[in-house]
Amino acid sequence: MNYLTRRLVTFPLVMLGVSVLVFISIRLVPGDAITAMLGTEAGLLTPAQRASLETYFGMDQSWFTQYWQWLGGALHGNLGISVTYGKPVLEVILRVFPLTLELALLSMIVALAVGLPAGIYAATHAEKPSDLIVRIVAMIGQSTPSFVVALLAIYALSVWFGILPAMGSFTPLWQDPLQNLAQMILPALTLGFAFAAAVTRISRSAMLDILSDDYVRTARAKGVPARKVIWHHALPNALIPVVTVSGVEFGYLLGGAVIVEQVFALPGLGRTVLDAILQRDYPLVQGSVLFIALNFMIVNLLVDLAYAALDPRIRLGGN
């Protein structure tokens, strides 16, 4: 059994563990869907009315029965009906996921386009004033919460330029690219700022280690131009830790950047899950977390496969 097959076999086991964990966790939160939906009016319900609603939502059954019925539906692609939206959970998830996917991709592009060159520049100018400046900026980027960056960006645009970013709606890229970019660029820059700081520090550290290796010194001794040594000899090996941190961060972003989506009022997956938790929408929370876990495992699998492509010395599943 090769590496890819072994990883794919573990997918159902991990998904089963995640489903059990989220099923129990959401039900340990005080309150229920009836109270969240009706608010203070829930206290006015008669016992018969409450019992009727509990039967309607399936809350009168044991946890084991509820989980078994939900799991049986999930195996057939039915994640249940969202209490909040009154629609199938999978339909709700697929409606909001394109925004989250685009935001994650744009943030990744910003982070790699800024962080990788900055890290390489700092490594090739180690212990110089420019290296110190890059490290300070990277440390500030990692230590500043994303919601602070988002609020500062909104304040700067509104006060200095007299404009506000488009918020509260989402226009798909294929419908109006310019409107879509206007809605997504600021959230992407906000997320990409902290992500770029992490990429900068990781790529700088990796490049410093690689540049001190024997094969790099040999290439320099042979008279290979410095630019070729950096970009063709050192960079491919230095990319492995960058791919690792990028894959993990991208997996998190696919789960929804809750704070940034909340600040910019973007109807993405993270904000949807947050609202579902507040509304005790059990089917939507369970389905969303399961969907996020699947995405995270796929991204991690692709990262592992990328290792072998970047470094031929790595053999996945070899003896």
Side-chain angles (χ1 to χ4, degrees):
M1 186 182 294
N2 60 27
Y3 176 80
L4 179 59
T5 304
R6 290 201 307 270
R7 287 294 298 271
L8 291 177
V9 168
T10 63
F11 272 31
L13 299 177
V14 175
M15 296 290 283
L16 181 63
V18 170
S19 68
V20 172
L21 184 62
V22 68
F23 183 89
I24 295 175
S25 299
I26 187 61
R27 282 163 176 77
L28 292 177
V29 177
D32 54 34
I34 298 174
T35 304
M37 181 173 58
L38 299 179
T40 57
E41 294 182 1
L44 302 177
L45 294 174
T46 64
Q49 290 173 328
R50 173 169 283 275
S52 176
L53 288 174
E54 288 178 351
T55 301
Y56 176 78
F57 290 119
M59 297 165 54
D60 59 330
Q61 301 171 338
S62 66
W63 283 11
F64 178 81
T65 303
Q66 292 181 47
Y67 176 76
W68 188 253
Q69 292 179 348
W70 176 78
L71 182 63
L75 292 175
H76 292 85
N78 179 18
L79 298 176
I81 302 296
S82 169
V83 176
T84 306
Y85 296 93
K87 298 179 180 179
V89 167
L90 189 58
E91 179 182 333
V92 176
I93 293 174
L94 294 179
R95 178 173 59 84
V96 298
F97 183 65
L99 184 150
T100 299
L101 177 61
E102 183 183 352
L103 182 59
L105 289 173
L106 289 176
S107 302
M108 175 77 74
I109 293 172
V110 170
L112 294 179
V114 174
L116 196 56
I120 295 172
Y121 178 83
T124 54
H125 296 76
E127 307 305 328
K128 294 181 179 179
S130 54
D131 175 36
L132 179 62
I133 293 173
V134 171
R135 283 189 290 168
I136 291 174
V137 173
M139 188 171 297
I140 293 173
Q142 277 198 297
S143 60
T144 305
S146 57
F147 72 89
V148 173
V149 177
L151 293 175
L152 288 176
I154 294 174
Y155 177 81
L157 283 176
S158 60
V159 173
W160 296 343
F161 299 99
I163 59 175
L164 281 172
M167 296 188 296
S169 61
F170 174 64
T171 303
L173 182 64
W174 56 87
Q175 290 186 7
D176 190 342
L178 293 180
Q179 180 66 20
N180 174 271
L181 186 62
Q183 294 172 340
M184 300 298 294
I185 187 63
L186 201 56
L189 290 174
T190 300
L191 288 174
F193 180 66
F195 190 6
V199 171
T200 298
R201 300 187 67 182
I202 294 294
S203 59
R204 177 186 179 275
S205 176
M207 281 294 292
L208 285 175
D209 290 339
I210 297 298
L211 290 175
S212 62
D213 284 351
D214 292 338
Y215 74 92
V216 173
R217 291 201 296 267
T218 301
R220 285 174 170 169
K222 290 181 177 180
V224 178
R227 184 181 297 273
K228 188 173 182 179
V229 170
I230 293 171
W231 294 99
H232 293 274
H233 291 74
L235 181 59
N237 291 322
L239 281 179
I240 291 179
V242 175
V243 169
T244 301
V245 71
S246 299
V248 172
E249 186 68 23
F250 188 68
Y252 283 131
L253 291 176
L254 287 181
V258 179
I259 296 177
V260 171
E261 289 180 3
Q262 192 73 14
V263 171
F264 289 99
L266 293 174
L269 183 59
R271 190 180 179 200
T272 300
V273 174
L274 177 61
D275 292 340
I277 294 173
L278 296 176
Q279 294 295 325
R280 307 298 188 272
D281 192 341
Y282 297 154
L284 184 54
V285 174
Q286 294 164 188
S288 298
V289 173
L290 209 62
F291 183 78
I292 292 169
L294 177 62
N295 287 331
F296 198 88
M297 288 190 294
I298 292 174
V299 169
N300 276 298
L301 176 60
L302 295 177
V303 167
D304 289 345
L305 296 177
Y307 290 159
L310 289 171
D311 191 346
R313 295 172 297 178
I314 298 175
R315 289 292 178 264
L316 302 176
N319 294 325

